[in-house]
């Protein structure tokens, strides 16, 4: 795929959705961090249903520590891997209070040092909370990047590095959200919705879904 096609793809995605953002519900960088941590192998919808129950009263490091691991687990038991996630949430709160005065650090290394926080979670927080032009490659972005030919790669890190190189600078901040939303609602896994896709003519996927099967 050439640079002209890539630029036009992001131009169209921007035209269709000028101000994309995460579908996770949060009010502070800390709440975003916790929501993203909980979203691993879970849907944003399921995370929002859970966090609505405890963010209003316990949406701070001190508030979650007051709940304790069992209390957090009880609130998030509808989410996969809830016991491991509850343990990581409490450990993260303790580390934030001990080392960062309860604030979420604006630093990749410090973020990835938090329990349960990997590169993808750090990228989401840096992008969405702090406005850094990072790209957190999840299953949706990995699929869209490879299927369309936008930034093919064998693993998530390879795709991330490729996107960092090929996404035009003026689209870098929002590229993460456009690609996730496109993969979640249009370029879906089993049967991509090619007939209603706004970038289908630019996409290099050969086995496009015909109108008769859409």
């Amino acid at each position: 795929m050439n640079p002209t096609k890539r630029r036009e793809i992001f131009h169209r995605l921007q035209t269709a959705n000028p101000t994309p953002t995460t579908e996770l519900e949060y009010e502070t960088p800390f709440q975003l961090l916790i929501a993203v941590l909980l979203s691993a192998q879970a849907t944003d919808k399921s995370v929002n249903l859970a966090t609505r129950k405890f963010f209003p009263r316990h949406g701070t490091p001190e508030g979650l520590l007051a709940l304790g691991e069992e209390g957090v687990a009880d609130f998030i038991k509808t989410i996969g891997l809830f016991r491991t996630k509850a343990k990581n949430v409490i450990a993260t709160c303790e580390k934030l209070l001990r080392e960062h005065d309860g604030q979420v650090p604006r630093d990749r290394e410090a973020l990835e040092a938090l329990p349960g926080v990997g590169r993808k979670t750090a990228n989401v927080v840096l992008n969405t909370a702090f406005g850094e032009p990072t790209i957190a490659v999840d299953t949706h972005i990995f699929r869209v990047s490879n299927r369309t030919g936008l930034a093919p790669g064998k693993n998530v890190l390879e795709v991330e590095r490729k996107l960092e190189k090929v996404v035009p600078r003026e689209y870098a901040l929002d590229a993460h959200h456009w690609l996730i939303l496109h993969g979640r609602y249009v370029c879906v896994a089993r049967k991509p919705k090619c007939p209603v896709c706004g970038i289908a003519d630019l996409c290099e996927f050969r086995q496009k879904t015909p109108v008769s099967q859409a």
Side-chain angles (χ1 to χ4, degrees):
M1 181 175 288
N2 61 52
T4 301
K5 273 190 176 182
R6 291 191 180 100
R7 185 175 297 276
E8 180 61 19
I9 283 174
F10 285 105
H11 171 70
R12 292 187 192 181
L13 293 175
Q14 181 187 56
T15 300
N17 186 1
T19 56
T21 188
T22 179
E23 294 186 318
L24 291 170
E25 298 173 359
Y26 71 98
E27 292 186 357
T28 65
F30 171 74
Q31 290 182 5
L32 175 65
L33 171 65
I34 297 302
V36 179
L37 193 157
L38 296 178
S39 70
Q41 299 182 44
T43 65
D44 288 0
K45 182 178 180 180
S46 68
V47 172
N48 290 337
L49 288 172
T51 57
R52 287 171 194 164
K53 299 176 182 178
F54 65 90
F55 271 177
R57 293 184 61 187
H58 304 282
T60 63
E62 297 88 348
L64 291 181
L65 282 178
L67 280 176
E69 187 176 324
E70 286 302 317
V72 172
D74 191 53
F75 275 116
I76 67 171
K77 60 187 177 183
T78 55
I79 301 175
L81 306 174
F82 73 96
R83 292 204 176 276
T84 298
K85 290 177 180 179
K87 181 178 181 180
N88 286 334
V89 164
I90 293 300
T92 286
C93 290
E94 292 173 341
K95 193 175 181 72
L96 287 175
L97 288 168
R98 184 174 63 250
E99 300 180 10
H100 303 286
D101 296 320
Q103 301 300 307
V104 177
R106 187 174 180 170
D107 175 81
R108 177 187 299 283
E109 185 176 350
L111 283 168
E112 290 187 24
L114 297 172
V117 176
R119 185 177 184 85
K120 185 176 74 171
T121 297
N123 276 341
V124 173
V125 173
L126 289 170
N127 177 271
T128 306
F130 299 121
E132 302 285 348
T134 55
I135 299 177
V137 179
D138 67 351
T139 55
H140 298 300
I141 293 183
F142 185 78
R143 179 175 64 255
V144 170
S145 297
N146 277 285
R147 181 183 276 167
T148 63
L150 179 67
K154 295 179 181 179
N155 55 61
V156 293
L157 185 58
E158 191 174 327
V159 169
E160 179 186 333
R161 297 301 192 201
K162 186 73 174 288
L163 286 169
E164 287 175 346
K165 292 180 180 179
V166 303
V167 174
R169 180 175 298 181
E170 64 267 33
Y171 299 116
L173 179 61
D174 292 320
H176 165 83
H177 294 301
W178 282 320
L179 294 176
I180 283 181
L181 293 171
H182 190 68
R184 185 174 291 167
Y185 297 111
V186 181
C187 195
V188 296
R190 293 188 178 182
K191 187 178 290 185
K193 302 175 183 179
C194 303
V196 298
C197 176
I199 61 170
D201 59 313
L202 302 169
C203 170
E204 297 182 353
F205 183 52
R206 294 182 179 180
Q207 298 173 314
K208 290 185 173 66
T209 304
V211 175
S212 61
Q213 296 179 22

